[in-house]
Amino acid sequence: QVQVVESGGGLVQAGGSLRLSCTASGFIFEDYNMGWFRQAPGKEREGFSCISNHAKRTYYANSVKGRFTISRDNAKKVLYLQMNSLKPEDTATYYCAAKVSLGYDYCSAASVNYWGQGTQVTVSS
């Protein structure tokens, strides 16, 4: 049974930090590029950070570059997202995705086959 479960969301003040985790099971984690997506109310889902299967390539949207760090532990089958210097505009539901399409300057959900249920991140001003 495939499971993709996010954790670590919550309420934080602007300028604060959070670390999200995504624990995977039921598929060969190290075979898949992984990514973090987010969706705020009334906005489209954004693929803002992705990582290749062996962590040799990463992608960050301009909106998070320099503040967020994506990483993974293939032995533990966990994807991480360290979020620093959080801003109110980072408020959204954050989703972990497996089998993202990762290019030099993009991260797409076109080929995603597994999604997590989402974790809420709220940044107060």
Side-chain angles (χ1 to χ4, degrees), residues 84-106:
N84 298 329
S85 302
L86 283 160
K87 304 175 181 179
E89 51 263 44
D90 293 318
T91 295
T93 302
Y94 284 65
Y95 298 92
C96 173
K99 202 179 179 183
V100 301
S101 296
L102 174 60
Y104 175 73
D105 60 354
Y106 71 88

Side-chain angles (χ1 to χ4, degrees), residues 1-76:
Q1 181 182 0
V2 172
Q3 285 192 315
V4 179
V5 181
E6 303 95 339
S7 60
L11 174 63
V12 63
Q13 288 189 331
S17 299
L18 284 174
R19 189 193 196 203
L20 303 185
S21 297
C22 169
T23 302
S25 61
F27 63 97
I28 303 175
F29 184 74
E30 65 184 15
D31 282 355
Y32 290 140
N33 297 336
M34 298 292 294
W36 289 99
F37 292 71
R38 64 186 182 183
Q39 188 167 22
K43 294 188 176 181
E44 292 188 356
R45 182 179 56 197
E46 173 191 21
F48 65 89
S49 185
C50 293
I51 187 168
S52 60
N53 59 339
H54 292 290
K56 292 187 177 180
R57 290 183 293 132
T58 57
Y59 164 82
Y60 297 96
N62 288 334
S63 57
V64 306
K65 197 173 294 183
R67 301 187 297 122
F68 292 7
T69 303
I70 190 171
S71 62
R72 64 190 294 164
D73 185 330
N74 284 349
K76 296 181 178 179

